Amino acid sequence: MTRDPLPDAGPSARTTDLRLAGAWLTRHGLTDARPTPLLASRLAVRERARLATYLILAALIIVSALAAVSAFGNPQPHRPPPLLALTAAVAGLLLAQLLLVRWIRHVDQRAAATLSRRAAHPIQPGWRTVLGRPYAVFAATTFVGAMVLTASAMAVADPTVRQLAVVVLIGLLGATAITALQLRHLLRHPVVAQDEESLTADVIMRVEDARELATPNVQWSLPMVLLFGTAPTWWGATAITYLILGMIALIALRFRTPSCATVARQVMSVR
């Protein structure tokens, strides 16, 4: 089959988006599929949303760091940092993520409304397909490990360390809530597909996004940035061990679990 874009009633896509969509199909082994304007548009929106989420998480780390600065600059150790302002900022970032999810859903609904036909037997993959048990266990273990690590810092006698630990705790809960919103969207938003090829691509995008969500960037970075060097030596050694073990587990997952395209083909084979 040729790789020329097919005419489609979906959203218009620029030539660059079509080229990137073709490269995405090739990267996932769908060499017989052709990049349609529908796929190009969805991939372009997905990349913009991913960038926006990175900015939201970066803002979360920055806001947490600003709150932590007050713990150092405060002449009264018993006075807590501006936790209320930090909590309000985290709530605002959660709202921004919610609006981002609604925007993606709106784009998908608009794209679905323009399809000349829908897939005859649509599917709605569950969490075992989209995320997978190994990645789910890894994400849960990482979250629990980060929370335990932070809680152990709260038991330190130094009031500054305890204040920083509270800041980290709020930041971790905010990051986890943002991730949960994204995962909920992946599991619940309707499939947008008009044939078997686009249906396979939809599943691949879900699995790919879910596995990226399982990468604990904030859970690894926030405790290290705000507490390392301030907490006792034993805490620093524990944090480094936690980080190294987590990276080893993530690398093992990358190499030992089936690829996103393989998971999608397995789903399609049991339809």
Side-chain angles (χ1 to χ4, degrees):
M1 299 175 66
T2 62
R3 297 298 303 274
D4 295 328
L6 287 178
D8 193 284
S12 60
R14 295 175 300 179
T15 303
T16 301
D17 291 339
L18 286 170
R19 178 176 55 82
L20 293 176
W24 184 87
L25 290 170
T26 301
R27 187 166 65 250
H28 290 286
L30 302 177
T31 55
D32 291 334
R34 291 172 287 185
T36 63
L38 170 65
L39 177 62
S41 177
R42 294 193 68 201
L43 287 174
V45 170
R46 176 171 170 262
E47 288 302 315
R48 296 187 188 103
R50 181 178 296 176
L51 176 60
T53 299
Y54 288 156
L55 293 176
I56 290 173
L57 292 176
L60 174 63
I61 294 176
I62 292 172
V63 169
S64 300
L66 291 175
V69 168
S70 66
F72 290 101
N74 194 344
Q76 300 177 1
H78 64 277
R79 181 182 174 187
L83 300 181
L84 184 60
L86 175 60
T87 303
V90 170
L93 294 174
L94 282 172
L95 177 60
Q97 182 63 46
L98 180 61
L99 293 175
L100 182 62
V101 168
R102 290 184 62 183
W103 172 62
I104 299 172
R105 186 184 300 119
H106 174 71
V107 171
D108 281 350
Q109 289 174 346
R110 188 172 58 186
T114 63
L115 293 179
S116 57
R117 62 189 180 92
R118 299 294 294 272
H121 300 286
I123 57 176
Q124 190 67 39
W127 71 269
R128 288 183 177 84
T129 298
V130 174
L131 183 59
R133 191 180 300 275
Y135 275 93
V137 171
F138 172 73
T141 303
T142 302
F143 169 74
V144 172
M147 297 297 289
V148 170
L149 193 63
T150 304
S152 66
M154 296 177 67
V156 176
D158 189 340
T160 299
V161 174
R162 291 202 301 269
Q163 291 174 6
L164 289 174
V166 174
V167 171
V168 173
L169 180 64
I170 295 174
L172 289 176
L173 291 175
T176 303
I178 290 173
T179 300
L181 280 176
Q182 294 175 278
L183 185 58
R184 179 178 180 273
H185 169 71
L186 289 177
L187 293 175
R188 299 192 61 177
H189 85 273
V191 172
V192 180
Q194 60 183 346
D195 52 30
E196 185 169 340
E197 291 176 347
S198 57
L199 191 58
T200 303
D202 187 287
V203 177
I204 291 176
M205 283 189 281
R206 291 173 191 259
V207 176
E208 194 173 50
D209 288 346
R211 291 183 176 184
E212 183 172 344
L213 288 177
T215 305
N217 297 312
V218 176
Q219 288 80 359
W220 283 346
S221 61
L222 198 59
M224 297 293 288
V225 168
L226 298 186
L227 284 169
F228 192 79
T230 304
T233 303
W234 64 264
W235 189 95
T238 304
I240 292 176
T241 302
Y242 161 75
L243 180 59
I244 292 175
L245 291 177
M247 293 180 66
I248 293 174
L250 181 60
I251 292 172
L253 280 176
R254 299 286 189 187
F255 280 97
R256 295 181 65 87
T257 54
S259 67
C260 301
T262 300
V263 172
R265 291 189 182 96
Q266 291 172 351
V267 171
M268 298 298 294
S269 66
V270 298
R271 287 176 59 208

